[in-house]
Amino acid sequence: MNRFFVYILTIGFCFFSCNKPELSNSCDLNSKEFLNSILSKFALADFSPHCSVSTALSLSGSIVGLTTSGMVLRTSTGSELSVPPGATSFSIPIASGFGSKYTLSIAKQPDTIACVVHNGWEGTLILGISNIQIICHTTTAKRVYGQLDFISATSANPPNQNSLSSPSFVLADELGIYVSDSGNTRVLYYSGDITSASRVIGQANFGSNAFATSSSGIAYPTGLAKDSFGLYLADLNNFRVLYFEGTNNIASRVYGQVDFNTAVSAPYAAADVITGPYGMAADKDGYYVVDNSNHRVLYFPNGSYSASRVYGQTSFTGNTSNCTATTLGSPEGVAVSSDGVYIADTGNHRVLFYPGTSTTATRVYGQPNFTSNLGNNGGIGAGTLNAPRGVFAMGGDVWIADTTNNRILLYSGTNTTASKVFGQSGNGSFTLSASGLSATALSFPQSISINGEGIFVADSINHRVIMY
C-alpha cells in the first residue's frame, strides 16, 4: 500500500479517536493512545508483539573524502555526533516529530579539509532522512576554467570559448556553471566537467566582446541568479537586470529600464530604478539585486518590475551610505538561505545577516559591532574582513569572498569567526593575505558557488575560475 496513503489514514483515525478517555497506556483498549499506536506500527511496518512503537527519527547518509581527521555534526534540536576519519556514512538521532522541519550542520570541521552538506541539509521529517550527502574538499584546487593550467593567468584578445578576462561571478547548478566573464562583457556556460564553454550570452559568438544595449547585447555583466525557469543577469553599465528564459540567448524581460534599447542612469532612487547592479540571488518568490550606487539591496517579487522590499535604506527614495544594522555602504554581494538574507557590505568591510524578511541585521561578520567599519579591524584574522565582495549560504554554513585579503572564508553554522580559509598557503593561515597564482592561491576572488561537484571561485585578477 502507498506509504503516503497510510499516513493520511493514520492522521484521519487519530483525529476521530480524540474523544477516547485521556489514558496513557498504549496497551489499554480504552486508551486514546491504543489506536494511534496500532496505526503507527502499521505505517512503520513494525510487527513486533509490543503495544507501543518507537518513533525515534534519525538523519543519515553518505560521506565522501573524510580522510584526515574527524568532524562533528549537529542537528537543529541540538543532537551531536562525532564522526571519525575514514567514515563513509553516518546516522544521527533527532528529537523531532513527524512533519517537523530539520537542519543538519557541521559544528566542527576536520583539521585540514573542508566538508560541505551538499544534499539534504534541511527538510521535513517523515520517517527519518537517509539521503544526506556530505562531501569533503581539500583547499587545493583540482580544476581550472579560463587557463591551460594553475600557473597561467592570460587574458586572450580576441576571446574564445576557453578564455576568461576578469570574471566577477560564478553560479553553479547541478548541470554545470555560469560565469560572468566581465572583461569580455559576456556570460559563459560550461556543461558538466568540461572546461570549454558550450554557450555564450551577451555576444553573437565566442570571439566577440563588444558592448551593446539590446535584448541580446550587454555591457559588463556582474551578478547572476537562477530560478526554475531561467537566468537573471546584472548588466552593470546598462543599469539594468535582464531575464533569459530556459536556454535562450535573447532576454524576455528587463528591469530598471523602460525597454531593451535604453540605458539611462537615473539621478534618483526609486522602487523601479537600478543604477549599480552587482550581486544577485533568487528564491522561489522572486529575486534580490545589489544596487551598489544607491547603497542598497532590492527585492523584486515574481511578476513585478518594482521592488517590494529594500535593505540599507528606510525608503525606496533613499540612497545614503552609513554603517548601522539598517544601513549599507557600497554593497556588492547578496545570498539567500531558508533562514534569511546575507549581504556583503563591501564599503563597510563586513557581511550582515537579516533573519526572515526583516531589513534590520541581527548578525555581523568582520566587525565587532554594527557601527565599526575598519578593514581588518584589529589586525587580519579569522574574524576580520577587507572589502568582501561575495557571499554564499549553503548546508547551514556561510562562505565569504574576502576579496582584498585574497581568500575565501568558511563560517560554520552561526559562528562569526571563520573555521576554514582557502587561498592562503594550502591549508591556510588566517593571518596572511598574499595574492598568488597556483592551485592553492587566489588573487582578488569575488564570488563563490557550490554544487555536487565542488566549490567554485571566481579568481578575477588571475582571469580564471577554479574548483576545489
Side-chain angles (χ1 to χ4, degrees):
M1 184 180 293
N2 184 279
R3 183 61 59 86
F4 178 76
F5 182 61
V6 173
Y7 296 152
I8 298 300
L9 284 177
T10 302
I11 293 171
F13 278 116
C14 293
F15 176 81
F16 288 112
S17 68
C18 64
N19 292 323
K20 286 189 173 292
E22 294 293 331
L23 301 176
S24 60
N25 184 357
S26 59
C27 293
D28 191 323
L29 293 175
N30 292 316
S31 170
K32 178 180 178 180
E33 291 185 6
F34 179 75
L35 180 59
N36 294 351
S37 175
I38 296 302
L39 289 170
S40 295
K41 285 167 66 65
F42 177 68
L44 293 170
D46 178 2
F47 303 111
S48 67
H50 307 290
C51 300
S52 61
V53 60
S54 172
T55 56
L57 303 177
S58 64
L59 306 176
S60 60
S62 62
I63 301 172
V64 176
L66 186 61
T67 56
T68 59
S69 61
M71 63 181 172
V72 177
L73 303 179
R74 180 184 295 151
T75 71
S76 48
T77 61
S79 301
E80 289 194 353
L81 176 69
S82 294
V83 183
T88 58
S89 63
F90 72 94
S91 180
I92 180 172
I94 181 166
S96 291
F98 293 113
S100 61
K101 299 291 185 180
Y102 78 88
T103 60
L104 177 69
S105 61
I106 300 174
K108 184 179 183 300
Q109 286 280 345
D111 292 338
T112 59
I113 56 178
C115 298
V116 181
V117 186
H118 278 266
N119 178 62
W121 76 275
E122 64 178 354
T124 302
L125 286 168
I126 302 298
L127 294 177
I129 305 297
S130 60
N131 63 342
I132 299 173
Q133 184 182 43
I134 297 175
I135 301 178
C136 301
H137 307 263
T138 70
T139 54
T140 300
K142 56 185 177 182
R143 187 186 305 162
V144 60
Y145 300 79
Q147 302 296 331
L148 292 175
D149 52 45
F150 289 108
I151 56 173
S152 300
T154 61
S155 176
N157 192 15
N160 55 63
Q161 67 192 97
N162 299 307
S163 66
L164 291 170
S165 178
S166 302
S168 62
F169 204 90
V170 58
L171 173 65
D173 63 19
E174 290 310 309
L175 298 177
I177 63 169
Y178 295 85
V179 177
S180 280
D181 187 16
S182 302
N184 286 320
T185 196
R186 63 183 185 174
V187 172
L188 298 178
Y189 180 72
Y190 302 82
S191 179
D193 60 359
I194 300 172
T195 57
S196 291
S198 59
R199 183 154 51 97
V200 60
I201 300 170
Q203 299 294 333
N205 54 61
F206 288 111
S208 60
N209 57 2
F211 278 34
T213 305
S214 67
S215 59
S216 59
I218 57 179
Y220 205 89
T222 49
L224 302 168
K226 277 197 73 179
D227 64 13
S228 300
F229 305 102
L231 178 74
Y232 293 95
L233 184 159
D235 188 10
L236 179 62
N237 289 343
N238 281 326
F239 320 107
R240 65 184 185 176
V241 168
L242 297 177
Y243 182 75
F244 298 83
E245 293 184 15
T247 58
N248 289 323
N249 293 339
I250 298 175
S252 59
R253 299 200 297 265
V254 58
Y255 300 81
Q257 300 294 334
V258 295
D259 57 44
F260 290 109
N261 302 312
T262 302
V264 174
S265 177
Y268 57 86
D272 58 352
V273 167
I274 309 169
T275 57
Y278 269 81
M280 298 192 70
D283 61 22
K284 63 181 180 61
D285 298 316
Y287 80 89
Y288 300 80
V289 60
V290 174
D291 187 10
N292 171 273
S293 302
N294 287 318
H295 310 289
R296 64 183 186 173
V297 172
L298 298 174
Y299 178 71
F300 290 80
N302 291 333
S304 176
Y305 290 90
S306 292
S308 62
R309 195 185 318 145
V310 59
Y311 299 80
Q313 303 294 331
T314 57
S315 70
F316 288 109
T317 57
N319 61 358
T320 58
S321 173
N322 209 335
C323 184
T324 67
T326 57
T327 58
L328 297 167
S330 300
E332 295 197 18
V334 61
V336 61
S337 72
S338 59
D339 296 326
V341 176
Y342 296 84
I343 295 175
D345 189 15
T346 309
N348 285 324
H349 306 287
R350 64 183 186 173
V351 168
L352 298 177
F353 171 72
Y354 303 78
T357 58
S358 172
T359 55
T360 300
T362 58
R363 193 186 314 148
V364 60
Y365 300 78
Q367 299 294 338
N369 53 57
F370 288 107
T371 57
S372 298
N373 64 352
L374 297 176
N376 290 330
N377 199 337
I380 185 172
T384 68
L385 296 169
N386 192 3
R389 293 195 172 199
V391 60
F392 185 79
M394 178 181 174
D397 298 327
V398 182
W399 300 75
I400 295 176
D402 189 13
T403 305
T404 308
N405 281 329
N406 302 301
R407 62 185 186 175
I408 301 295
L409 297 176
L410 164 61
Y411 300 78
S412 299
T414 59
N415 292 323
T416 56
T417 299
S419 58
K420 290 291 172 185
V421 58
F422 291 70
Q424 296 299 319
S425 301
N427 291 331
S429 168
F430 289 110
T431 59
L432 298 177
S433 61
S435 64
L437 179 61
S438 69
T440 60
L442 296 167
S443 187
F444 212 72
Q446 294 198 54
S447 71
I448 318 102
S449 192
I450 299 174
N451 66 11
E453 271 205 292
I455 303 161
F456 298 84
V457 174
D459 189 19
S460 297
I461 288 180
N462 286 330
H463 307 297
R464 65 183 186 176
V465 168
I466 58 176
M467 186 196 82
Y468 299 94

